[in-house]
Amino acid sequence: MKAPSPPRSDHMRRAMRNLLLLVLVAIGLSLAALPRIERSFLAKTSDRESATLRIATESLRGALSRSEALPALLAERPILTDLLHDPTNVGLLPFVNEQLRQTALTLDLADIYVMDAKGLTIAASNYRREDSFVGRSFAFRPYFTDAMREGRGRFHALGLTSGQRGYYFAAPIIDETEILGVVAVKILLHGFEETWRNGDNTILVTDPNNVIFLSDREDWHFNTLGPVADGVLAAIDATRQYPLERIRTLDVAHEAVAPSVDLLRIQTREGPEEYLSNVGLIAAAGWRVWVLTPTGPAIAQARQVLALLILLSLFAGLVAALFLQRRARALEQQAQQRIYQETLIDRVAERTADLNAANRQLLQEVDERRATEDQLRRTQSELVQAGKLAALGQMSAGLSHEFNQPLAAVKAYAENALTLMERGRQEEARSNMGLILQMADRMAAISRHLRNFARRPQEKIGPVPLIPVLEDVLSLMDNRIKAAEARITIDRPEGDIFVMGGQVRLQQVLVNLLANALDAMETQPAPEIGIRVAGLDSGRWIVEVRDHGEGLTDDTMAQLFDPFFTTKSPGKGLGLGLSISYNIVRDFGGTLSARNHPEGGAIFAVELDDARDRVAEDEVAAQ
Ligand code: ADP
């Protein structure tokens, strides 16, 4: 038998280990890919937010540029020149104030105001208010100095009186060549913060010094993104741009994670915050506009994708595991089938070998049996002969008597005949001669029987006249019958009876049966043997020999026809008679059986086929 394939658990264990490794590698690769996925999501978010940045930048730039040219336009107004020529003109001042107020309302400006060459405000749109600019000097503000010196000025600052963050544009009021003063407009910008507050992200505007000027996160107002350069604080203080006490430095770190992806990490009191930053520039104001988007959602999305990838890996692993399991099972079944087939083939081969051996043995036994049968047949024939010789021995005493008696009679008849012939009594002598002939015939008959009996049976089976055979047997046994003082009765139908058999062997059978019957009644003073010949319905003939002895015990009945079974003393019986008789009758195609008579004694029955039809064909057999 071939070596069996490895058991299923080994197959499976190896496959499962490989699969687990594969899944782990897939998960590992997914984890390794996480930064890339995060970057990709951040880049996408950054792309999206660049639109927000554009809108914020453009709206701010628009607001500023709308107001940029206004001071120069206003400076053209003659009444402003007139007023500056005569600042104390009480007729003109209220008119100018009112005009400025109306203009500011119309143009949606926070304030419009006019300063003289020293920076003192002489007229303002907010003239009515308590905290009006009128009478206040703004000579320290860069928009004033710039306008005086360079022809225009711009500035952003926290309003000193309003406390609101504003953008200032200023232009000089010139009469011919003399600069009489400056007109300034202020716009408020905190409205933008309201708009920005609605979005998910934080928008802030930093000035060239990195100070956060606008932002929807109020707590960051006037904070700086990173440390400020030397002298900056002094300049801020000089121009009173922002309140110094509110300026704080935010702890900020920049990181460019991809070409278009910049991260901004800010340490706040609540902890670190991380943003994607998109930065735009408003060059005219020197401002930077920052759109800060929290990285949380993008990173969460990236992690979701990662989780999905891992789940997919696991699912693929599961499907693969199922597939492998199926395949392993199929392979195992195939292997088992192979083993089963091989076992079957082996078994068939073994069986065939067994059968061949058994066949050989059988053939050998058949040969042996045949040889034994031959041997048996030979032995049997020898035994038949031996049986016959034994019977002959038994009969010899009687035979000598049988011969002596007629011989003595012949002698007496012959002497008698001689005497009668001498005396011329021819007739009487002839009668004596007749008697002598009879005696000679009788002796010839006896002699013939003996010859036949002693001869090995070479006779053919054919029609045999039953009654003459029976009579011959009785005459052969006559001596013994007489010695036992036995009485023989014969019950037979009229007419000739022919049966199938051999004459001599049939005689032998009947001699045996009669001898056994006499033996069975040995101790009886007047033994009686009943012989019955009858035709059967089957068309066969039956010859029954009945005695009045002890009968047959069960034990005897069981072994009756076995060779050498005898209950007689060693000198008397060989135990061959019935066994030989049985075989003889069987050779004739008949049967020999024994039973007990209900009234005592044994009955031996010989059944033979009727042979009348064949008498004509084979006369010789009947001789
Ligand atoms: P043998 O006569 O030499 O013993 P047989 O084969 O003729 O051999 O008989 C076998 C035995 O069968 C006898 O020994 C006897 O016991 C029994 N047997 C035969 N015939 C009779 C009978 N008529 N009655 C009782 N027993 C018988």
Side-chain angles (χ1 to χ4, degrees):
M1 218 189 292
K2 279 177 208 161
S5 43
R8 172 171 143 201
S9 52
D10 267 16
H11 265 313
M12 277 302 291
R13 209 171 299 141
R14 208 172 312 139
M16 286 301 172
R17 201 177 49 225
N18 290 345
L19 192 67
L20 191 71
L21 265 173
L22 216 71
V23 170
L24 285 177
V25 166
I27 291 174
L29 285 177
S30 305
L31 282 172
L34 180 62
R36 285 182 77 91
I37 303 170
E38 283 180 355
R39 271 204 297 280
S40 140
F41 272 90
L42 287 172
K44 249 186 223 123
T45 312
S46 182
D47 264 9
R48 206 172 49 238
E49 293 307 327
S50 63
T52 313
L53 173 70
R54 215 165 33 248
I55 293 166
T57 312
E58 287 312 315
S59 53
L60 257 180
R61 190 180 285 133
L64 294 182
S65 63
R66 244 197 333 274
S67 312
E68 194 178 357
L70 282 177
L73 281 175
L74 290 169
E76 298 291 317
R77 289 195 177 177
I79 52 162
L80 297 188
T81 321
D82 292 348
L83 184 67
L84 283 172
H85 276 304
D86 185 9
T88 53
N89 187 336
V90 288
L92 191 58
L93 187 60
F95 179 70
V96 173
N97 274 339
E98 189 51 29
Q99 267 221 339
L100 292 179
R101 195 181 75 83
Q102 292 290 340
T103 308
L105 272 177
T106 313
L107 296 176
D108 195 20
L109 298 169
D111 295 297
I112 308 175
Y113 46 107
V114 177
M115 291 155 283
D116 64 15
K118 290 202 176 85
L120 184 72
T121 309
I122 51 173
S125 59
N126 56 18
Y127 71 99
R128 285 188 192 170
R129 291 206 321 245
E130 252 178 52
D131 57 351
S132 164
F133 292 170
V134 178
R136 298 179 65 119
S137 168
F138 293 109
F140 58 89
R141 291 290 207 193
Y143 58 84
F144 174 76
T145 48
D146 286 351
M148 288 294 287
R149 209 173 33 241
E150 293 164 19
R152 63 180 183 167
R154 55 195 301 162
F155 192 56
H156 60 276
L158 181 71
L160 289 173
T161 44
S162 64
Q164 287 180 324
R165 282 155 301 150
Y167 203 98
Y168 304 83
F169 292 105
I173 300 166
I174 302 168
D175 182 21
E176 303 290 321
T177 55
E178 186 193 4
I179 299 174
L180 299 176
V182 168
V183 60
V185 302
K186 178 187 175 185
I187 56 172
L188 295 178
L189 299 168
H190 57 262
F192 284 101
E193 291 174 342
E194 287 304 316
T195 325
W196 297 341
R197 226 163 250 143
N198 298 329
D200 296 333
N201 32 33
T202 299
I203 299 177
L204 42 96
V205 176
T206 54
D207 71 8
N209 295 322
N210 269 342
V211 179
I212 299 169
F213 182 62
L214 289 173
S215 172
D216 47 2
R217 273 191 69 160
E218 262 174 53
D219 55 328
W220 284 356
H221 286 171
F222 308 114
N223 285 2
T224 62
L225 286 184
V228 287
D230 284 347
V232 168
L233 290 178
I236 290 171
D237 192 33
T239 56
R240 297 166 74 183
Q241 192 175 13
Y242 314 123
L244 277 184
E245 72 278 3
R246 288 187 64 182
I247 294 181
R248 263 184 202 80
T249 306
L250 283 177
D251 182 359
V252 175
H254 293 270
E255 189 192 349
V257 291
S260 64
V261 183
D262 288 308
L263 290 188
L264 200 67
R265 284 194 198 87
I266 304 176
Q267 286 293 338
T268 64
R269 246 172 289 146
E270 288 79 35
E273 292 176 12
E274 192 181 63
Y275 297 97
L276 254 177
S277 81
N278 278 278
V279 188
L281 188 68
I282 301 175
W287 283 356
R288 282 171 189 279
V289 180
W290 303 70
V291 174
L292 299 184
T293 316
T295 53
I299 287 183
Q301 271 182 330
R303 289 189 180 160
Q304 276 169 6
V305 166
L306 178 77
L308 205 71
L309 273 176
I310 290 174
L311 272 178
L312 273 175
S313 303
L314 288 176
F315 180 71
L318 199 74
V319 169
L322 280 174
F323 171 75
L324 282 177
Q325 200 183 21
R326 289 255 168 95
R327 218 183 70 152
R329 200 168 295 157
L331 280 176
E332 186 218 350
Q333 273 172 357
Q334 277 175 10
Q336 268 181 353
Q337 235 159 25
R338 233 187 351 259
I339 291 170
Y340 177 70
Q341 274 172 359
E342 282 163 6
T343 316
L344 211 64
I345 288 168
D346 286 351
R347 236 179 252 166
V348 167
E350 273 169 32
R351 278 289 154 80
T352 312
D354 285 353
L355 278 174
N356 283 340
N359 211 15
R360 269 197 303 278
Q361 198 174 338
L362 218 62
L363 284 174
Q364 199 177 329
E365 276 174 20
V366 167
D367 285 348
E368 281 170 12
R369 184 72 54 88
R370 224 171 257 153
T372 312
E373 268 175 19
D374 287 349
Q375 175 76 27
L376 199 70
R377 216 166 284 135
R378 274 198 303 278
T379 313
Q380 216 170 40
S381 133
E382 279 160 18
L383 284 174
V384 168
Q385 194 63 14
K388 279 193 288 193
L389 292 175
L392 201 63
Q394 274 185 2
M395 285 189 297
S396 57
L399 283 173
S400 67
H401 175 76
E402 285 286 324
F403 279 105
N404 282 342
Q405 205 191 19
L407 273 175
V410 164
K411 195 177 174 220
Y413 284 133
E415 283 169 357
N416 238 351
L418 275 178
T419 312
L420 287 173
M421 276 163 70
E422 282 167 9
R423 292 180 189 165
R425 290 158 64 179
Q426 291 293 331
E427 270 316 300
E428 284 167 87
R430 181 185 295 270
S431 148
N432 269 7
M433 288 298 180
L435 287 170
I436 288 169
L437 263 179
Q438 268 183 18
M439 291 299 154
D441 279 348
R442 178 163 163 72
M443 284 188 291
I446 292 171
S447 148
R448 195 170 60 239
H449 283 313
L450 286 175
R451 200 179 64 239
N452 283 345
F453 192 77
R455 206 173 55 204
R456 271 180 196 276
Q458 272 157 4
E459 55 180 3
K460 279 196 216 149
I461 293 169
V464 175
L466 183 60
I467 302 303
V469 167
L470 189 59
E471 283 167 352
D472 281 352
V473 168
L474 288 173
S475 78
L476 271 172
M477 299 283 292
D478 193 40
N479 204 27
R480 239 201 109 183
I481 294 167
K482 278 190 183 132
E485 292 178 14
R487 197 164 71 90
I488 313 279
T489 58
I490 299 177
D491 173 12
R492 52 155 292 201
E494 286 299 317
D496 294 337
I497 299 169
F498 287 92
V499 294
M500 286 300 287
Q503 193 167 355
V504 177
R505 283 177 286 168
L506 185 55
Q507 278 176 359
Q508 193 181 343
V509 170
L510 295 174
V511 164
N512 254 318
L513 296 184
L514 283 172
N516 278 346
L518 288 171
D519 285 347
M521 298 182 292
E522 211 172 20
T523 51
Q524 294 182 13
E528 210 180 299
I529 297 174
I531 298 174
R532 187 175 80 94
V533 178
L536 296 174
D537 291 345
S538 59
R540 300 176 104 189
W541 291 98
I542 190 165
V543 183
E544 283 183 343
V545 179
R546 188 210 162 174
D547 61 59
H548 293 266
E550 295 290 314
L552 303 161
T553 63
D554 287 349
D555 211 28
T556 305
M557 192 83 89
Q559 308 171 72
L560 206 54
F561 300 109
D562 291 350
F564 301 108
F565 170 74
T566 178
T567 57
K568 294 170 192 169
S569 55
K572 277 206 94 179
L574 280 174
L576 288 171
L578 285 180
S579 146
I580 291 168
S581 301
Y582 183 89
N583 284 310
I584 290 172
V585 176
R586 194 190 58 191
D587 286 347
F588 293 167
T591 57
L592 170 62
S593 60
R595 65 181 194 279
N596 284 321
H597 194 278
E599 288 161 20
I603 302 174
F604 284 82
V606 181
E607 264 187 57
L608 293 165
D609 287 333
D610 181 68
R612 195 171 309 155
D613 295 346
R614 294 192 48 187
V615 178
E617 296 168 24
D618 195 358
E619 288 267 357
V620 186
Q623 300 271 316

